[in-house]
Amino acid sequence: MNLDIEQLKKKIIYRSNYRGTKEMDKLLGAFTNKYINELSLIDLEDLKDLLDIDDDNLYNFYKGLKTEIIFKENYITNLFKKFKYKG
């Protein structure tokens, strides 16, 4: 079980740092690096799901703008929305 969590963390870290746009690489990389070791398995799964969303919708969600999709409300989306990126 612990090995599965570590593999999931590695996938999340990779996915958060290699998005396609530098801005989102930096934002999501910083967010993930700050919280990854504090998250439960459920939170990690929610983070993985969040990272599956395209950059435009994620950025708009982060900035409080209109998105084309509806985001699930959970600990991760609330944490991401409140995250202060200092880049």
Side-chain angles (χ1 to χ4, degrees):
M1 179 85 170
N2 203 13
L3 182 61
D4 293 336
I5 290 173
E6 293 306 313
Q7 286 178 321
L8 180 57
K9 285 181 181 181
K10 286 179 184 178
K11 287 179 183 181
I12 288 169
I13 291 168
Y14 181 85
R15 181 70 178 121
S16 67
N17 285 291
Y18 298 98
R19 301 281 311 170
T21 63
K22 284 192 184 239
E23 294 83 5
M24 290 305 288
D25 290 350
K26 290 178 181 181
L27 172 62
L28 290 168
F31 175 75
T32 299
N33 288 336
K34 180 171 183 173
Y35 295 110
I36 192 105
N37 290 317
E38 301 172 12
L39 302 175
S40 69
L41 181 57
I42 292 168
D43 294 335
L44 290 170
E45 291 288 343
D46 288 340
L47 178 54
K48 183 177 130 326
D49 292 344
L50 184 74
L51 294 174
D52 286 339
I53 298 169
D54 66 278
D55 286 352
D56 288 337
N57 279 305
L58 267 179
Y59 182 78
N60 288 344
F61 176 74
Y62 178 71
K63 289 295 194 177
L65 304 172
K66 185 178 178 183
T67 62
E68 296 174 359
I69 61 170
I70 296 172
F71 283 74
K72 289 192 298 186
E73 189 167 327
N74 57 41
Y75 178 70
I76 294 299
T77 55
N78 289 329
L79 196 62
F80 180 61
K81 192 93 164 129
K82 294 175 187 172
F83 179 67
K84 301 292 183 208
Y85 176 64
K86 299 172 185 170

